[in-house]
Amino acid sequence: MIGQDHPDLFEVLNGPEDGADFPLTQPRADLGSDPACAVLLRLDHDIRPRHARVTVVSEGYRIRSLERPGVLVDGRRAGLIRSRVARHGSVLRVGATELALVCAPDGLAGRSRGLPRESDLGWALRVGALHGANALYAVSRGLRRLLGKLMMPLVLLALALILTAVFLPGLFAWIRDWAVYLFQWASYGLGRMLP
């Protein structure tokens, strides 16, 4: 049993890192094999770099799997959209590792009593909107670049046509007459094809 001044933690019950403790000192933590993860499981080869996300909720932690295979919380699968809430004594199975959640009386989970909880649907809509906004921004940036590259030749063509009209009016009239002729020819051919 942990005392008053200790944080909540994950304790490895079974697996390659048996007996290790991982304190939870931030409202959000990642679980995986990446050294930046708060719950760092390097010896289990079934665990991805950022395998799961752990966020504090009222009197527990929300577990959301970021990779496949997923995470089991008390024998129930936690996915990317469908998360699970772990409370004191809950057992997580990630890869070949089992972890127990130990919540201290004065840990983050205990201090978060009464905090509003975001539903899985709310989370999915928020994340989807964020990714949609990022995709829209990337598309608009690409279009601006494309238009920027296309505008210069169009400006040069317009300038060339203006200079031709001013300095060589006969050539401009000849180009105009050919354009009218091509338009009439295309209209006549289209008119014959339609009933």
Side-chain angles (χ1 to χ4, degrees), residues 3 43 72:
L43 301 178
L72 295 177

Side-chain angles (χ1 to χ4, degrees), residues 46-193:
D46 294 333
I47 294 179
R48 308 279 189 246
R50 295 208 186 264
H51 202 99
R53 172 136 314 138
V54 178
T55 52
V56 69
V57 296
S58 183
E59 298 185 33
Y61 289 89
R62 182 176 302 278
I63 311 298
R64 193 174 300 281
S65 178
L66 302 175
E67 293 285 342
R68 290 185 190 258
V71 178
L72 295 177
V73 179
D74 293 328
R76 298 172 65 199
R77 185 165 305 282
L80 181 61
I81 302 297
R82 179 72 170 110
S83 65
R84 300 286 179 196
V85 174
R87 308 243 184 252
H88 176 75
S90 291
V91 175
L92 276 67
R93 180 155 185 83
V94 185
T97 302
E98 284 187 349
L99 302 121
L101 176 62
V102 180
C103 294
D106 198 32
L108 285 175
R111 292 192 314 248
S112 67
R113 189 172 295 128
L115 282 179
R117 290 180 20 183
E118 182 178 49
S119 70
D120 288 333
L121 178 61
W123 179 85
L125 291 174
R126 183 174 52 82
V127 170
L130 178 65
H131 288 302
N134 288 342
L136 188 60
Y137 174 73
V139 167
S140 68
R141 218 170 96 198
L143 284 175
R144 273 197 320 251
R145 285 182 181 167
L146 179 64
L147 287 176
K149 290 182 186 256
L150 290 177
M151 287 307 288
M152 185 52 81
L154 290 177
V155 167
L156 291 176
L157 179 63
L159 185 61
L161 287 175
I162 291 170
L163 290 174
T164 303
V166 170
F167 293 111
L168 301 170
L171 181 62
F172 184 73
W174 180 78
I175 292 172
R176 184 193 64 221
D177 291 342
W178 266 100
V180 169
Y181 171 74
L182 288 174
F183 178 74
Q184 289 172 346
W185 179 75
S187 299
Y188 176 73
L190 187 60
R192 290 187 66 196
M193 290 173 39

Side-chain angles (χ1 to χ4, degrees), residues 22 30-43 47-51:
F22 299 99
D30 286 339
L31 182 149
S33 61
D34 187 324
C37 291
V39 182
L40 177 60
L41 301 170
R42 293 175 294 176
L43 301 178
I47 294 179
R48 308 279 189 246
R50 295 208 186 264
H51 202 99

